[in-house]
Amino acid sequence: MASTEFLSFVPIFSELPNETLEKIEKIGTRKSYKKNDVILMEEESGTALFVIVTGKVKVARCSNDGREVILTILSDSDFFGEMAILDGLTRSATVTSLEGTELFLLQRNDFMNLLHEHPEISVALLQELTKRLRAADMKIKALSLKDAEGKVATVILQLADDIGKIKQGKVEIDKLPLQQDLANMAGTSRETISRTLHSFAKKGLVELEGSKLKILDYEKFKGMFI
Ligand code: CMP
C-alpha cells in the first residue's frame, strides 16, 4: 500500500487531492498497540486525533460502580479523539485496542490548521459526527424503549454498519465481539445475549458459526427491530 493510501479511505480525508494527503502523512506519526492496550482514557486531556490504519478499538465509558458501557467499536479508516480536540474539554470516553492496532496520530494544532486550510475536511467531519449522533440516538431509543430482542438487534445492526461486509442482501460480521462486550454494548447481561442470539438463529434471522455472525436478510432484520 502506498504510504498515503490509508488516508484516502478515511471519511474526513477521502475527497482531498494526493498532494494534500502526502502533506498530512508527513505531519502525523504512527504508533502500534497490542491487544487490550489503553490508547486514551476518559477524563484525561486530549492532544491528538487518531486514525486507525489497521486494527480495531472499543470506545467505552465506566459507571461509578465499575460497569462498562461500550459506545461503539471502530476499525480500519475510522478516526477518534476529535471531541477533546474540538471543544478543549477532557476525553469523553476510554479507547482500548481489541487486537493489534496501528494508529496514525495528528497533533491538535496540526489538525486545527488542516481544518482551517481545507474547509472540505470540516464539512466531512460534520457529516461523520452527524452519522455518529444518529447512531447514538438510535441507541438511546433502543436502551430506553426496547425489550431484550430489540436491544440485541440494535447492537448487531450497529456492528453490521461499523464492521460488517455486505454480500447479496446478507451482512457478515467476521469477528463478533465477546458476549460480555456485546452485553456491555446492549445494556443487558451475557446470558441474555447468548439466549437472544440463539433465538434469532432458531428463527432463521441469523447464522452463527464460532465468532462469525451472518444476518441472512439485512433489510428484513432492520425492518423488524428499528
Ligand atoms: P474524545 O472525547 O477526544 O476521546 C474519546 C473518543 O471516543 C471521542 O473523542 C470520540 O472520538 C470517540 N467517541 C465518543 N463517543 C462516541 C460515540 N458515541 N460514537 C463514536 N465515537 C465516540
Side-chain angles (χ1 to χ4, degrees):
M1 200 197 277
S3 61
T4 56
E5 199 179 344
F6 76 96
L7 286 174
S8 66
F9 298 121
V10 180
I12 52 172
F13 300 134
S14 60
E15 299 298 319
L16 299 173
N18 232 353
E19 61 263 30
T20 312
L21 295 182
E22 278 167 16
K23 184 178 117 188
I24 297 175
E25 212 266 335
K26 283 203 187 93
I27 56 178
T29 50
R30 290 184 186 230
K31 207 166 165 187
S32 294
Y33 293 83
K34 296 189 298 292
K35 184 176 174 174
N36 294 331
D37 277 351
V38 174
I39 298 160
L40 57 83
M41 277 187 71
E42 191 175 337
E43 302 298 340
E44 66 186 20
S45 55
T47 55
L49 171 100
F50 299 78
V51 170
I52 304 177
V53 183
T54 55
K56 229 178 244 123
V57 304
K58 69 174 172 185
V59 178
R61 294 194 68 148
C62 268
S63 65
N64 290 341
D65 58 1
R67 276 177 304 147
E68 181 186 61
V69 180
I70 299 180
L71 302 171
T72 193
I73 290 180
L74 302 173
S75 61
D76 297 14
S77 312
D78 284 325
F79 63 88
F80 60 89
E82 78 294 344
M83 290 171 64
I85 298 263
L86 291 169
D87 67 10
L89 300 179
T90 53
R91 295 294 190 192
S92 62
T94 297
V95 181
T96 311
S97 52
L98 289 171
E99 58 188 40
T101 295
E102 189 184 3
L103 299 177
F104 175 78
L105 280 71
L106 281 171
Q107 294 305 312
R108 180 177 191 276
N109 281 348
D110 293 330
F111 182 62
M112 294 310 274
N113 287 340
L114 281 174
L115 291 182
H116 287 114
E117 285 163 24
H118 304 278
E120 61 272 42
I121 302 179
S122 305
V123 174
L125 179 62
L126 285 172
Q127 283 167 345
E128 188 57 30
L129 294 182
T130 303
K131 200 167 139 194
R132 290 183 182 181
L133 183 57
R134 282 183 190 275
D137 286 352
M138 191 167 104
K139 205 143 171 210
I140 291 169
K141 179 177 158 190
L143 292 177
S144 50
L145 299 177
K146 290 185 184 165
D147 59 9
E149 281 205 340
K151 288 180 186 174
V152 179
T154 302
V155 165
I156 290 176
L157 285 164
Q158 188 191 350
L159 286 168
D161 282 349
D162 291 343
I163 56 173
K165 286 185 223 135
I166 305 176
K167 238 189 262 165
Q168 293 164 338
K170 300 182 180 28
V171 179
E172 221 173 279
I173 303 167
D174 267 345
K175 262 197 239 156
L176 202 62
L178 298 174
Q179 290 201 346
Q180 187 56 56
D181 284 342
L182 291 174
N184 294 350
M185 291 177 84
T188 179
S189 66
R190 201 191 58 74
E191 291 73 20
T192 302
I193 294 290
S194 170
R195 190 170 12 90
T196 310
L197 286 180
H198 284 103
S199 148
F200 286 161
K202 241 190 199 158
K203 290 179 187 162
L205 297 171
V206 305
E207 243 171 47
L208 283 165
E209 203 191 309
S211 65
K212 216 183 252 182
L213 180 139
K214 201 188 274 178
I215 305 175
L216 296 173
D217 184 338
Y218 176 76
E219 287 305 327
K220 178 178 161 198
F221 190 70
K222 199 169 172 180
M224 285 172 73
F225 294 103
I226 298 300

